[in-house]
Amino acid sequence: AEYSLAVVKGRPNFHISLVMDVSPFCDCHAENDLPIIQDVGMFASYDPVALDMACADACNKAPIIPGSYLADQIHKNHVHDPEDHDRFICTHPETDWRVCLEHAEKIGLGTRQYELIEVK
C-alpha cells in the first residue's frame, strides 16, 4: 500500500484490473493449480483501493470451481456453507487480505467504499 501511494501521490492515475484465472497461489509459484473461481470480469477506477475492494467483493460472490484448491480446502476444513465464506481466507486461512486495504485507506491511498456500475 505504501509503495502504491508513493507511485500515485500527486500524479494523475487510472487503474484497470482483469479478474480472471484467479489462481490459489501467486502466479510465480510453480505448484499453481487451476483457478479457484470462475472468471469475474474487468474493473476500472481512479481509486485503487475501491478497485481492489470491488474486485475482492466480486470474487467472494463468484462460483467456486469444483476440484480446485479452494474446493479442496472447503471440504478439508468442513465448511458447511462455502458460498457465505471469503474465498481468499478459505484458500489461505493464515492470511487476511483485508489488512492491506485497511492500511491503504488509513494512509490516504483511497477508500474501500465504491459504487459498482455494471456495463454489459
Side-chain angles (χ1 to χ4, degrees), residues 11-85:
R11 296 177 183 91
N13 59 87
F14 185 71
H15 311 273
I16 299 172
S17 289
L18 302 175
V19 184
M20 52 190 280
D21 296 325
V22 178
S23 58
F25 301 101
C26 176
D27 291 342
C28 63
H29 283 241
E31 75 276 5
N32 244 339
D33 199 0
L34 66 123
I36 59 173
I37 58 172
Q38 293 180 6
D39 290 348
V40 176
M42 177 186 283
F43 295 76
S45 178
Y46 288 102
D47 182 332
V49 180
L51 176 67
D52 282 353
M53 190 74 236
C55 290
D57 286 346
C59 286
N60 279 321
K61 294 176 185 169
I64 298 166
I65 295 178
S68 68
Y69 182 82
L70 172 56
D72 292 346
Q73 288 295 98
I74 287 169
H75 179 72
K76 175 182 165 187
N77 295 314
H78 307 289
V79 175
H80 297 291
D81 192 2
E83 296 306 316
D84 287 337
H85 284 75

Side-chain angles (χ1 to χ4, degrees), residues 1-2 5 49 99-111:
E2 292 180 15
L5 180 60
V49 180
V99 171
C100 185
L101 293 185
E102 290 167 5
H103 183 67
E105 187 173 45
K106 181 179 174 184
I107 63 174
L109 181 59
T111 177

